[in-house]
Amino acid sequence: MVVASREEHGMNGYAHDKDAYLKRMRRIEGQVRGIAKMIETDQYCIDVLTQVSAATKALEAVALGLLDEHLKHCVTEAAAEGGAVADQKVAEASAAIARLVKS
């Protein structure tokens, strides 16, 4: 996985909500640790699956929020610039959407 630097792309679109995203991710991290404990203690499989579903939905909500920020900030700025930068940002957004739809 290639991760671009902040210098390469400028300020992240989610920067103003960074603390909220981090809080949500810590909550999801706790959910996942809870699922691991459920498995360790041999909890009923349907209960484990219910918690896996909840964690998955929480991650999807974060992903959709980040995608929305990317479209509003990064893609909009690139579209105003035009040219190859705009094409690249639209391609990145399309690829991200495809990954989310497949998951």
Side-chain angles (χ1 to χ4, degrees):
M1 177 164 100
V2 176
V3 177
S5 67
R6 180 173 274 167
E7 292 81 26
E8 186 177 336
H9 290 287
M11 183 65 87
N12 293 315
Y14 61 84
H16 65 284
D17 284 332
K18 182 178 177 179
D19 290 339
Y21 279 111
L22 287 171
K23 183 178 179 181
R24 291 172 82 180
M25 291 305 298
R26 284 191 284 277
R27 193 171 25 233
I28 294 166
E29 182 180 18
Q31 282 181 289
V32 172
R33 278 194 307 271
I35 294 167
K37 286 180 184 179
M38 290 178 77
I39 293 170
E40 286 174 358
T41 59
D42 297 316
Q43 297 294 309
Y44 185 55
C45 51
I46 295 300
D47 294 339
V48 176
L49 288 169
T50 299
Q51 293 306 310
V52 168
S53 178
T56 300
K57 293 296 180 193
L59 279 171
E60 288 173 353
V62 169
L64 289 173
L66 290 170
L67 178 60
D68 185 59
E69 295 292 344
H70 181 68
L71 292 171
K72 287 178 182 175
H73 182 266
C74 303
V75 175
T76 300
E77 284 183 9
E81 229 178 280
V85 173
D87 293 342
Q88 177 192 2
K89 292 296 180 187
V90 169
E92 286 175 351
S94 294
I97 292 166
R99 286 190 301 272
L100 288 172
V101 170
K102 288 179 184 177
S103 61

